[in-house]
Amino acid sequence: MLAKISDPYLICAAAGLVCSGLLLIFLAGKRSFDRRQLFVCVLFALVFMFAGAHLMYFLVGLPDFSSRYGSSIYDIQSLITAVLNASSGMVFYGGLFGAVGGIFLFCRIIRMPVRPYLNIMCCTFPLMHAFGRIGCALGGCCYGIEYHGLLAIQYTADHINPGISDHIADVTRFPVQPLEALLEFLICLLLVRIYRRTQNRYSIISIYLFTYGIVRFLDEFLRGDTIRGLWGSFSTSQWIALGCIAGTVVYYLLHHLQRSSDVGHSGGKE
């Protein structure tokens, strides 16, 4: 039985921010970062992360916007209220892309290479997300498929969010969010190891998009909620995950071809 905790998102988000901040401080101590610039970069990432997460939530729900809020829209004020209500939730991928965009903007403003800042910040993304998934499990906003095996979760009526998880307590559920949190912790360890050993030779964000894309695509099959939307046979997040996987593969193929071309030109000059 999973007990209901008051404000699980706030608690887990705070824990995730603190742990991510400590990890960032630890990693920055091994590199020659300007601490003030890194702090401002974090602020940019956080602001754009929250904006992107809310924006994607609104875009995912846009096809149902008129049917859900159309009857309550009478003027500009009611339209603004409806838009705010329709964007009240958050989508992880929107937050991720928003954070990356914020880091790019910051580096453009200070005219610094983006890879060092993006690499070190990316190491904290799966750690923060892991705590968020724990908050999801405790809050009951999203949940697993019906499951009666080992480690099955039994939610209570307190976890029911009207219109979101109406049937969450009907049966025991697969612990999909704790599983994803565990995998995110493991991805975090992988990224930190790569970051510390490679001296920015690799794009950490591409490694994260590839590994998490696989995790997200597969664990979506274990989710029982429908809030994430469905396009054809796959959820919105699965399509984005496939795009991230494909984009990463294309990136490394082009990078390999570029390196091969550079080596060829160098050999020709000699």
Side-chain angles (χ1 to χ4, degrees), residues 194-214:
I194 294 174
Y195 177 77
R196 296 188 65 191
R197 293 172 64 92
T198 61
Q199 298 290 331
N200 287 321
R201 288 199 304 270
Y202 299 106
S203 169
I204 302 296
I205 184 65
S206 63
I207 299 173
Y208 177 52
L209 289 176
F210 183 81
T211 53
Y212 178 68
I214 295 174

Side-chain angles (χ1 to χ4, degrees), residues 165-177:
S165 56
D166 295 328
H167 308 291
I168 191 172
D170 291 352
V171 295
T172 54
R173 302 284 177 177
F174 185 86
V176 61
Q177 305 301 3

Side-chain angles (χ1 to χ4, degrees), residues 2-245:
L2 192 65
K4 179 73 171 181
I5 297 178
S6 178
D7 295 326
Y9 301 107
L10 181 60
I11 295 172
C12 291
L17 285 173
V18 170
C19 292
S20 297
L22 292 175
L23 176 60
L24 194 63
I25 292 172
F26 169 75
L27 294 176
K30 308 296 182 180
R31 299 285 192 272
S32 56
F33 281 100
D34 182 303
R35 298 299 179 87
R36 182 177 300 177
Q37 288 183 345
L38 186 58
F39 176 74
V40 177
C41 182
V42 171
L43 293 181
F44 267 73
L46 288 174
V47 170
F48 279 80
M49 177 186 73
F50 284 108
H54 285 291
L55 176 60
M56 183 162 284
Y57 184 86
F58 174 76
L59 294 177
V60 170
L62 193 57
D64 300 323
F65 179 82
S66 59
S67 61
R68 184 176 299 180
Y69 300 101
S71 60
S72 61
I73 298 177
Y74 305 102
D75 50 25
I76 296 298
Q77 183 176 354
S78 61
L79 174 62
I80 293 175
T81 300
V83 170
L84 291 176
N85 289 334
S87 58
S88 59
M90 294 188 289
V91 173
F92 167 73
Y93 271 121
L96 173 62
F97 298 146
V100 172
I103 295 170
F104 268 92
L105 177 61
F106 168 78
C107 291
R108 177 61 64 88
I109 292 174
I110 66 172
R111 298 182 179 180
M112 292 288 288
V114 69
R115 176 170 287 188
Y117 286 92
L118 186 57
N119 273 359
I120 191 172
M121 290 290 293
C122 185
C123 290
T124 68
F125 292 165
L127 181 61
M128 188 179 301
H129 193 202
F131 279 95
R133 283 308 187 207
I134 295 173
C136 287
L138 296 175
C141 64
C142 44
Y143 48 91
I145 58 175
E146 181 177 347
Y147 171 74
H148 305 286
L150 184 65
L151 302 179
I153 292 177
Q154 177 66 65
Y155 287 97
T156 68
D158 291 336
H159 291 90
I160 293 177
N161 299 291
I164 298 177
S165 56
D166 295 328
H167 308 291
I168 191 172
D170 291 352
V171 295
T172 54
R173 302 284 177 177
F174 185 86
V176 61
Q177 305 301 3
L179 173 62
E180 185 174 330
L182 174 62
L183 294 174
E184 288 271 35
F185 282 127
L186 294 177
I187 292 175
C188 178
L189 292 176
L190 172 66
L191 298 185
V192 169
R193 181 176 178 82
I194 294 174
Y195 177 77
R196 296 188 65 191
R197 293 172 64 92
T198 61
Q199 298 290 331
N200 287 321
R201 288 199 304 270
Y202 299 106
S203 169
I204 302 296
I205 184 65
S206 63
I207 299 173
Y208 177 52
L209 289 176
F210 183 81
T211 53
Y212 178 68
I214 295 174
V215 168
R216 187 58 181 267
F217 180 80
L218 294 176
D219 79 11
E220 283 285 306
F221 290 114
L222 300 174
R223 289 181 59 168
D225 57 298
T226 58
I227 190 174
R228 63 202 189 282
L230 291 174
W231 293 2
S233 301
F234 298 143
S235 69
T236 303
S237 293
Q238 283 178 308
W239 285 112
I240 297 175
L242 288 175
C244 290
I245 295 170

